[in-house]
């Protein structure tokens, strides 16, 4: 596992939640010493709780925007196809982030952030900088966030990988998510799945990485916040083109957001909401 690679993956913007989850899992399988990243598709499918066909679809998206490159390999002894090797754009310089979607560039065998014709955007196009200022480990987070994580860990119904989950929780808080929103959503997720086998529940890390607290955020926020705050919350998600549950923004809320000037009709339509 490479902490630098996983932090790089978390910093990427403009990806669908499931695509970003797959990128994170690839980064988690990256060997910091050898640079190798070659998990099997079965392994990725299990880690991401997706079918292999879904994994393939999101791999194509990651390759299309230049964040990864797939290399087919052959076992020299058996002459049979071996597991695919993945070259992360992170390997180009160890830290580069990708903030906008571009088509695959077929020039050059490896992602390059230094070329105008490369597959990865140049540094000055990325507004997400200074990743070191985001708390990614226990030593960097304040006491309030520490306590909030412990409450989340106790409330979530299927916890695993405490270190990775803790890092994802701190990243979400650093990005501006209220810890209480995550905790309340985790409790709601546990309540709605009461009686279901744990094998049907998302692991804590995957739940956080996919921003699944948004599934319950409207209920949580609506009970404690003024309408204007609710509109502002969802407008931020719409503009960021992040994951938004299909039932999160009602028609009346969408109209209120439009009338209040928080978003445009085009922005709502881009995330699948019809005002």
């Amino acid at each position: 596992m490479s902490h630098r690679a996983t932090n790089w993956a978390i910093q990427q913007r403009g990806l669908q939640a499931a695509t970003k989850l797959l990128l994170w899992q690839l980064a988690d399988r990256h060997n910091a010493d050898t640079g190798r990243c070659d998990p099997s598709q079965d392994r990725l499918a299990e880690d991401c709780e997706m079918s292999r066909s879904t994994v393939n679809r999101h791999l194509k998206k990651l390759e299309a925007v230049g964040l990864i490159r797939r290399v087919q390999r052959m076992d020299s002894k058996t002459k049979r196809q071996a597991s695919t090797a993945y070259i992360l754009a992170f390997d180009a310089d160890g830290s580069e982030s990708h903030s906008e979607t571009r088509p695959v560039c077929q020039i050059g065998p490896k992602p390059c952030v230094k070329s105008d014709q490369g597959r990865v955007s140049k540094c000055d196009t990325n507004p997400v900088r200074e990743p070191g200022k985001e708390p990614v480990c226990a030593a960097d987070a304040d006491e309030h966030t520490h306590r909030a994580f412990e409450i989340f860990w106790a409330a979530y119904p299927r916890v695993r990988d405490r270190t990775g989950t803790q890092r994802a929780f701190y990243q979400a808080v650093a990005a501006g998510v209220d810890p209480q929103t995550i905790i309340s959503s985790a409790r709601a997720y546990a309540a709605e799945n009461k009686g279901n086998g744990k094998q049907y529940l998302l692991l804590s890390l995957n739940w956080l990485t996919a921003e699944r607290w948004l599934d319950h955020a409207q209920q949580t926020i609506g009970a404690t916040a003024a309408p204007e705050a609710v509109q502002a919350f969802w407008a931020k998600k719409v503009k960021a083109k992040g994951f938004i549950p299909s039932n999160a923004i009602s028609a009346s809320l969408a109209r209120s957001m439009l009338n209040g000037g928080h978003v445009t009709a085009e922005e709502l339509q881009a995330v699948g909401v019809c005002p």
Side-chain angles (χ1 to χ4, degrees):
M1 174 180 177
S2 168
H3 290 296
R4 291 182 65 197
T6 52
N7 289 341
W8 164 82
I10 289 171
Q11 293 157 21
Q12 304 314 304
R13 297 294 183 265
L15 299 174
Q16 293 180 345
T19 308
K20 187 169 182 177
L21 172 61
L22 178 58
L23 179 64
W24 193 96
Q25 293 291 356
L26 282 170
D28 191 48
R29 297 286 175 181
H30 179 274
N31 188 307
D33 295 323
T34 66
R36 288 186 59 178
C37 179
D38 51 5
S40 67
Q41 283 199 1
D42 287 337
R43 177 77 268 174
L44 291 173
E46 181 179 348
D47 288 345
C48 297
E49 300 182 49
M50 301 174 182
S51 66
R52 285 188 60 176
S53 61
T54 301
V55 167
N56 266 307
R57 186 169 70 251
H58 290 294
L59 285 172
K60 289 179 181 178
K61 292 180 181 179
L62 290 172
E63 193 165 33
V65 297
L67 288 173
I68 69 169
R69 185 167 68 87
R70 290 180 285 181
V71 178
Q72 299 295 334
R73 301 184 302 172
M74 191 74 68
D75 189 307
S76 58
K77 294 182 179 179
T78 64
K79 304 303 180 182
R80 300 181 63 180
Q81 184 171 319
S83 61
T84 301
Y86 300 91
I87 299 176
L88 308 184
F90 163 83
D91 285 328
D93 70 353
S95 63
E96 188 62 23
S97 294
H98 181 90
S99 63
E100 61 182 7
T101 301
R102 293 185 177 185
V104 178
C105 174
Q106 300 300 327
I107 299 175
K110 188 174 181 178
C112 177
V113 297
K114 300 182 182 300
S115 170
D116 290 330
Q117 297 177 315
R119 293 155 54 107
V120 183
S121 60
K122 297 179 70 177
C123 298
D124 57 5
T125 65
N126 184 6
V128 183
R129 309 309 298 168
E130 302 180 341
K133 291 189 177 181
E134 295 184 2
V136 295
C137 64
D140 295 326
D142 60 30
E143 187 60 32
H144 173 74
T145 307
H146 280 308
R147 290 196 300 269
F149 174 76
E150 294 301 332
I151 296 171
F152 167 81
W153 186 256
Y156 194 77
R158 191 186 179 195
V159 293
R160 189 177 297 175
D161 186 0
R162 181 183 174 94
T163 300
T165 300
Q166 190 175 42
R167 185 186 307 114
F169 185 92
Y170 292 164
Q171 288 282 356
V173 173
V177 181
D178 185 350
Q180 188 56 48
T181 296
I182 301 177
I183 293 168
S184 299
S185 297
R187 287 171 174 162
Y189 182 71
E192 74 177 13
N193 285 283
K194 188 175 182 180
N196 293 334
K198 287 197 173 183
Q199 68 271 25
Y200 299 111
L201 307 183
L202 283 171
L203 295 174
S204 52
L205 173 59
N206 295 349
W207 188 85
L208 285 170
T209 306
E211 299 183 351
R212 290 295 296 274
W213 64 79
L214 292 175
D215 291 358
H216 305 278
Q218 186 177 32
Q219 177 182 351
T220 301
I221 296 172
T224 59
E228 185 71 17
V230 176
Q231 295 173 29
F233 174 86
W234 287 110
K236 181 179 178 181
K237 299 298 179 184
V238 169
K239 289 181 177 296
K241 297 181 180 179
F243 171 75
I244 298 177
S246 59
N247 62 345
I249 301 178
S250 64
S252 60
L253 176 57
R255 287 193 296 270
S256 297
M257 291 164 64
L258 276 173
N259 294 336
H262 294 286
V263 294
T264 65
E266 291 74 17
E267 288 172 331
L268 286 172
Q269 292 168 359
V271 295
V273 176
C274 297

